[in-house]
Amino acid sequence: MAQRTVLVVLFDGVQSLDVTGPVEVFTGAEVRTPGSYRIRTASLDGAPVRTSSGLTVVPDSALAAAPAAHTLLVPGGQGTRRPDPALVDWLRAHGPRTERLVSVCTGAILLAAAGLLDGHRATTHWAYCDRLARDHPAVDVDPDPIYVRDGRVATSAGVTSGIDLELALVEEDLGRDVALVVARHLVVFLRRPGNQAQFSAQLAAQTARREPLREVQQWITEHPDDDLSVEALAARAALSPRHFARAFQAETGTTPGRYVDRVRLEHARRLLEDAGDGVEEVSRASGYGTPEAMRRAFLKALGTTPAEYRRRFSPAPAARPR
């Protein structure tokens, strides 16, 4: 097995979790499979960097002296808001030479500034997706997934999603068993699908200003298995269906139908993760009515079936004491 060098780029204002999370994943894989990864950190001049939280990180070397990387990992943080031109130049020169380009959070902004995301689908932290799309129109920005794989380029939404992405890369490199052991050690899921949404339904939508609409939002959340048609919801808000639909979208930023879809999907996911109910019971409790309707919704939104989702994310049975 060839050892893969993972080079993590450091700079002032870097987000510490964007660095330490992925490093812990790759280090855990190396501990369990010696010779699999060689992890190195480097800053432009080799000097220590100060993270956005005030921690000081001492790199292994300057970028000029860093070893050739199989995986070049660029974290995010406040330091990406005004990228250092010298760092961007280094990425532009060395990024194309690596087998795998990875960013965490706003590290995607640095890759884009170096032209390394042109023609690629990518994501970043939800708060910076609009900026990334505006400043770099050649990048196909997708604001929804927690991470995106596009050929040799992999970008993640931010902070903990960097751990999800690195676990997926370890699984690709070394297999599911190694990734599972690392995930259990870090007390995280083995793998959330990359196309899992960055937001819960309630966070993805704005909270309505008017009390009747806020009450409807809460009702939807608490009663996903009820009649959630526009007509039924409008009656609950004491509005005409047309007025309700317009007001709901104006105040929440999404249509009633999309909001209901998100709530039902989220409810079904939680039941599949936490409860022992069968797929048929989950589909009824979540408002889908039938397992086939729920299956279609999962495939459309998550690219996986309910059964596969449960296999990935339901907790493993506790070991019996000896």
Side-chain angles (χ1 to χ4, degrees):
M1 178 181 62
Q3 187 179 57
R4 299 171 175 85
T5 297
V6 179
L7 178 61
V8 182
V9 176
L10 301 180
F11 48 86
D12 283 326
V14 71
Q15 162 67 257
S16 56
L17 279 175
D18 289 0
V19 175
T20 57
V23 166
E24 289 291 344
V25 172
F26 286 121
T27 299
E30 166 62 23
V31 167
R32 287 155 184 81
T33 311
S36 55
Y37 294 109
R38 178 190 184 199
I39 299 98
R40 292 291 182 270
T41 58
S43 64
L44 263 176
D45 56 4
V49 301
R50 190 171 180 82
T51 71
S52 57
S53 60
L55 297 175
T56 297
V57 180
V58 181
D60 294 315
S61 70
L63 283 171
H70 169 277
T71 299
L72 180 63
L73 192 149
V74 182
Q78 294 176 2
T80 64
R81 294 178 184 175
R82 294 182 177 83
D84 186 326
L87 177 57
V88 172
D89 287 344
W90 187 91
L91 290 171
R92 185 179 294 110
H94 292 81
R97 305 176 189 175
T98 63
E99 292 191 38
R100 208 157 51 192
L101 272 174
V102 178
S103 70
V104 181
C105 195
T106 54
I109 292 176
L110 295 178
L111 293 184
L116 299 172
L117 296 185
D118 288 357
H120 288 280
R121 179 169 164 261
T123 194
T124 187
H125 189 285
W126 61 268
Y128 292 89
C129 284
D130 286 346
R131 171 186 166 180
L132 182 61
R134 181 187 66 247
D135 293 349
H136 303 282
V139 181
D140 180 11
V141 179
D142 189 338
D144 292 328
I146 59 171
Y147 64 81
V148 169
R149 300 288 305 278
D150 188 359
R152 59 186 285 271
V153 177
T155 53
S156 57
V159 193
T160 57
S161 64
I163 294 176
D164 293 299
L165 173 54
E166 311 324 322
L167 283 169
L169 297 180
V170 167
E171 184 176 6
E172 176 184 292
D173 294 342
L174 305 177
R176 179 182 174 84
D177 290 345
V178 174
L180 179 59
V181 171
V182 175
R184 286 175 174 167
H185 180 73
L186 296 176
V187 197
V188 297
F189 289 120
L190 167 59
R191 181 158 59 96
R192 290 187 289 169
N195 58 356
Q196 187 163 320
Q198 293 190 36
F199 279 130
S200 68
Q202 288 75 19
L203 287 177
Q206 306 165 36
T207 300
R209 294 189 302 274
R210 283 183 276 179
E211 185 64 28
L213 295 181
R214 287 201 302 272
E215 290 178 356
V216 167
Q217 284 183 285
Q218 188 64 28
W219 171 265
I220 294 170
T221 301
E222 295 174 354
H223 302 86
D225 58 340
D226 212 304
D227 178 4
L228 300 181
S229 64
V230 169
E231 290 76 15
L233 296 176
R236 182 165 293 278
L239 298 170
S240 71
R242 180 176 294 182
H243 186 188
F244 169 77
R246 285 201 305 264
F248 191 95
Q249 182 164 8
E251 296 199 18
T252 68
T254 189
T255 66
R258 290 196 187 99
Y259 189 81
V260 168
D261 288 345
R262 286 175 173 173
V263 167
R264 284 177 167 161
L265 183 70
E266 188 172 303
H267 186 78
R269 282 167 41 199
R270 284 200 301 268
L271 290 180
L272 290 170
E273 292 167 8
D274 300 333
D277 294 339
V279 170
E280 187 168 349
E281 288 81 0
V282 171
S283 67
R284 286 200 302 267
S286 303
Y288 289 111
T290 67
E292 179 56 29
M294 183 168 73
R295 183 176 184 274
R296 289 196 300 269
F298 267 64
L299 286 171
K300 180 180 179 181
L302 302 177
T304 189
T305 65
E308 174 62 15
Y309 186 91
R310 167 168 273 172
R311 187 185 71 80
R312 291 179 181 177
F313 302 118
S314 60
R320 294 181 179 178
R322 296 181 178 180

